[in-house]
Amino acid sequence: MKKKKRRLLVRTIILSILFSAVGYTMYAQFFAEKEKVVVGEKAPDFVLEDLNGEKHKLSDYEGKGVFLNFWGTWCKPCAKEMPVMQNQYEQFKDKGVEILAVNADETELAVNRFSKSYGLTFPVMIDDGGEVQTAYDIGPLPTTILIDSKGEIVDIFEGGLDEQKIKEYMDNIKP
């Protein structure tokens, strides 16, 4: 009888610890305050490799304006804004503005095809595992983060952009 009580007590303690751990994890995942990127603050640094195998570290672009675009090949507004981004990149790349296009964790084959079909010449990177998206608290795609020459976030825009708005944004972050 004593063994049964002891076994029941041990099982109860183990289950209590297990339920507490699961409860805390659920709370932290869904209800805890997430750190969000904020206009006026320093943009979180990251390093990603582009489709040509070159590494791009955000902090290496200080002194330039950065048009940081999060996108997906399946996203219609993303596909619509890519040719416009390419056009504006041609206009602004010699004026100190860079475009960094961060794909939302798709296959290299799909991203390569997409990039080639639009003739993209700015760096296109894949966020394997979504770490950069998490750091920037990216929700819907496309999302564009505008970063000035000091590395500070100037604006955040969720949704597709037309040519006039992209030109305006690039003018705003031009050093």
Side-chain angles (χ1 to χ4, degrees):
M1 198 70 155
K2 248 183 174 176
K3 278 186 172 181
K4 283 185 179 181
K5 283 185 178 181
R6 193 174 325 142
R7 200 174 327 149
L8 178 64
L9 179 64
V10 169
R11 285 180 183 166
T12 304
I13 291 171
I14 290 171
L15 282 173
S16 296
I17 292 170
L18 181 66
F19 282 123
S20 296
V22 169
Y24 175 76
T25 302
M26 298 283 285
Y27 169 78
Q29 183 70 27
F30 297 108
F31 300 110
E33 190 72 23
K34 288 183 181 177
E35 246 184 76
K36 295 185 179 227
V37 291
V38 177
V39 171
E41 290 188 0
K42 193 91 167 153
D45 202 10
F46 63 85
V47 178
L48 287 176
E49 195 173 289
D50 69 19
L51 297 175
N52 299 321
E54 293 179 43
K55 290 191 186 292
H56 296 268
K57 184 175 183 181
L58 181 64
S59 58
D60 289 345
Y61 288 93
E62 281 197 27
K64 294 184 173 192
V66 177
F67 186 94
L68 180 60
N69 182 263
F70 292 87
W71 65 282
T73 60
W74 48 266
C75 164
K76 297 283 187 228
C78 301
K80 190 175 178 183
E81 73 182 3
M82 282 296 168
V84 177
M85 285 169 50
Q86 178 60 42
N87 185 40
Q88 290 304 312
Y89 177 67
E90 294 298 324
Q91 307 301 313
F92 282 90
K93 68 181 179 181
D94 295 328
K95 297 177 183 176
V97 177
E98 290 289 333
I99 291 179
L100 299 178
V102 179
N103 175 269
D105 197 15
E106 295 182 80
T107 67
E108 191 172 334
L109 178 65
V111 175
N112 240 323
R113 277 188 188 156
F114 184 93
S115 179
K116 285 180 181 170
S117 73
Y118 287 97
L120 304 179
T121 59
F122 48 79
V124 174
M125 300 157 279
I126 301 171
D127 186 15
D128 287 326
E131 289 178 27
V132 177
Q133 291 174 83
T134 300
Y136 280 83
D137 194 32
I138 299 301
L141 297 178
T143 294
T144 301
I145 312 284
L146 299 158
I147 303 166
D148 69 13
S149 60
K150 294 176 278 188
E152 293 178 1
I153 297 171
V154 173
D155 204 351
I156 301 168
F157 186 83
E158 293 178 344
L161 296 165
D162 62 20
E163 188 143 12
Q164 183 57 40
K165 196 67 178 168
I166 291 174
K167 181 182 183 320
E168 183 183 311
Y169 275 154
M170 289 187 154
D171 261 334
N172 287 346
I173 60 173
K174 183 174 63 178

